[in-house]
Amino acid sequence: MNKVLRNPVAYLIFIVPALVLYVTFYIVPLISSLRYSVTSWNGINEPVFNGIENFLKALQDEKFWIGFKNNIYFVGFSLFIQVPIIITVGIIVSRAKKMLGLYKVSVFLPSILSTAAVSIIWQFIYQPDAGLLNQLLRATGFAEVAKPWLGTSDTAMTAVLIANAWQWTGFYIVLVLAAIFAIPSEVLEAAEIDGAVGFKKAWHITVPLIRSVIVVVMLLSITGAMKALDIVLIMTSGGPFGSSEVMASYMYKQAYSAGEYGYANAIAIIIFVFTSIVTLIFHMFSRRVEEVKY
């Protein structure tokens, strides 16, 4: 084994295949997108270089800024509503004495469904007349609250956010559960002996010990929110009146509906840059918090 570890060829055998895949499916498409982002191109004719015109167009495009705002909503919903729910449910499920496997499967099940299936399920739930949500509201005496949830500008975006959270919350809960079960039982027992039970135990012992996993969950939530596309296209197609449009769905429409491939690539580069900046800021903030904490 020592001879293998000292042999450079061994490192190449493991590194080169992954590097080839990384370059092929990440670096090359990124460079290609960057190249076309500075051109006027309809996907058929030869691209014509136009400098930063596409980027300036995006900055002046009201519909793009609506998508940008909705992506911010996605990030905010994920961080401040979805993540606390994930941590809370994870802690509650971890304390289950019986049928723990059933609970884990139940919360994880939506994550194995395709986004298309999830979107259609929630379309039926939000359906104005026969939908489960409005039927429940009418049956419980709240008929005045019932509305076409996906057909109203005030509620369409929130409805999509809830459906997206329902799909992915279980996946993150399983990550949190794995972190909780990795905590040495001696630590938890010592905390209980010292009087840390219930909420105190969760807040002062469990949460600090799984902080690294929580940071990973938050980073995944941010990146997932920034690349949201299919659930928006299937549930609302960005409507009504663009109220649920996100940057990725607007990019898709510019490419495949409007034939503005150059402009769509410019939007893709903006999404990439903005996502990188947001994740970098969050990473720096989380590291600063760790340094202050310790």
Side-chain angles (χ1 to χ4, degrees), residues 268-284:
I269 295 298
I270 294 173
I271 295 173
F272 170 77
V273 172
F274 182 72
T275 304
S276 300
I277 292 173
V278 171
T279 52
L280 179 61
I281 291 173
F282 177 80
H283 181 67
M284 293 173 62

Side-chain angles (χ1 to χ4, degrees), residues 9-20:
V9 177
Y11 291 95
L12 290 175
I13 291 174
F14 288 101
I15 293 174
V16 170
L19 187 62
V20 169

Side-chain angles (χ1 to χ4, degrees), residues 83-106:
V83 171
I85 291 174
I86 290 167
I87 297 170
T88 302
V89 174
I91 292 173
I92 293 172
V93 172
S94 69
R95 296 179 178 178
K97 302 299 182 182
K98 297 181 180 179
M99 298 188 296
L100 178 60
L102 176 62
Y103 297 142
K104 291 168 70 175
V105 171
S106 299

Side-chain angles (χ1 to χ4, degrees), residues 123-168:
Q123 277 184 324
F124 279 114
I125 292 174
Y126 290 133
Q127 209 277 338
D129 299 318
L132 176 62
L133 179 55
N134 282 346
Q135 291 282 5
L136 286 174
L137 290 172
R138 295 187 184 104
T140 53
F142 295 96
E144 67 279 0
V145 181
K147 63 178 67 179
W149 301 96
L150 296 177
T152 305
S153 299
D154 294 336
T155 58
M157 191 65 210
T158 303
V160 173
L161 290 174
I162 292 172
N164 184 74
W166 180 80
Q167 180 181 12
W168 295 112

Side-chain angles (χ1 to χ4, degrees), residues 23-35 265 268-269 272:
V23 171
T24 303
F25 295 105
Y26 184 77
I27 300 299
V28 171
L30 180 61
I31 294 174
S32 177
S33 184
L34 185 60
R35 172 196 170 194
N265 276 282
I269 295 298
F272 170 77

Side-chain angles (χ1 to χ4, degrees), residues 49-266:
F49 180 77
N50 63 1
I52 61 172
E53 182 179 323
N54 290 329
F55 295 95
L56 295 176
K57 180 180 178 181
L59 296 177
Q60 300 169 0
D61 191 340
E62 182 181 352
K63 292 182 178 179
F64 169 79
W65 285 110
I66 292 174
F68 179 87
K69 178 189 69 176
N70 286 334
N71 273 114
I72 298 299
Y73 287 158
F74 248 105
V75 173
F77 186 91
S78 299
L79 292 181
F80 301 112
I81 297 179
Q82 187 177 350
V83 171
I85 291 174
I86 290 167
I87 297 170
T88 302
V89 174
I91 292 173
I92 293 172
V93 172
S94 69
R95 296 179 178 178
K97 302 299 182 182
K98 297 181 180 179
M99 298 188 296
L100 178 60
L102 176 62
Y103 297 142
K104 291 168 70 175
V105 171
S106 299
V107 298
F108 187 73
L109 186 60
S111 302
I112 67 175
L113 300 175
S114 69
T115 305
V118 170
S119 301
I120 292 173
I121 288 171
W122 279 89
Q123 277 184 324
F124 279 114
I125 292 174
Y126 290 133
Q127 209 277 338
D129 299 318
L132 176 62
L133 179 55
N134 282 346
Q135 291 282 5
L136 286 174
L137 290 172
R138 295 187 184 104
T140 53
F142 295 96
E144 67 279 0
V145 181
K147 63 178 67 179
W149 301 96
L150 296 177
T152 305
S153 299
D154 294 336
T155 58
M157 191 65 210
T158 303
V160 173
L161 290 174
I162 292 172
N164 184 74
W166 180 80
Q167 180 181 12
W168 295 112
T169 295
F171 172 76
Y172 297 134
I173 288 174
V174 171
L175 295 182
V176 170
L177 281 172
I180 293 174
F181 290 141
I183 298 174
S185 58
E186 296 83 2
V187 175
L188 299 178
E189 291 171 0
E192 291 177 358
I193 292 173
D194 290 337
V197 295
F199 177 78
K200 287 184 178 180
K201 178 183 174 183
W203 182 253
H204 295 289
I205 305 298
T206 305
V207 171
L209 289 175
I210 64 171
R211 186 181 290 112
S212 59
V213 174
I214 293 174
V215 170
V216 171
V217 168
M218 295 175 78
L219 283 171
L220 291 175
S221 298
I222 291 172
T223 55
M226 292 305 302
K227 65 181 182 182
L229 169 63
D230 39 6
I231 195 165
V232 173
L233 287 178
I234 297 172
M235 290 189 69
T236 64
S237 191
F241 310 112
S243 60
S244 62
E245 198 82 81
V246 292
M247 287 190 288
S249 63
Y250 187 58
M251 173 198 70
Y252 178 90
K253 291 178 181 179
Q254 290 302 303
Y256 297 105
S257 297
E260 295 283 348
Y261 286 89
Y263 184 39
N265 276 282

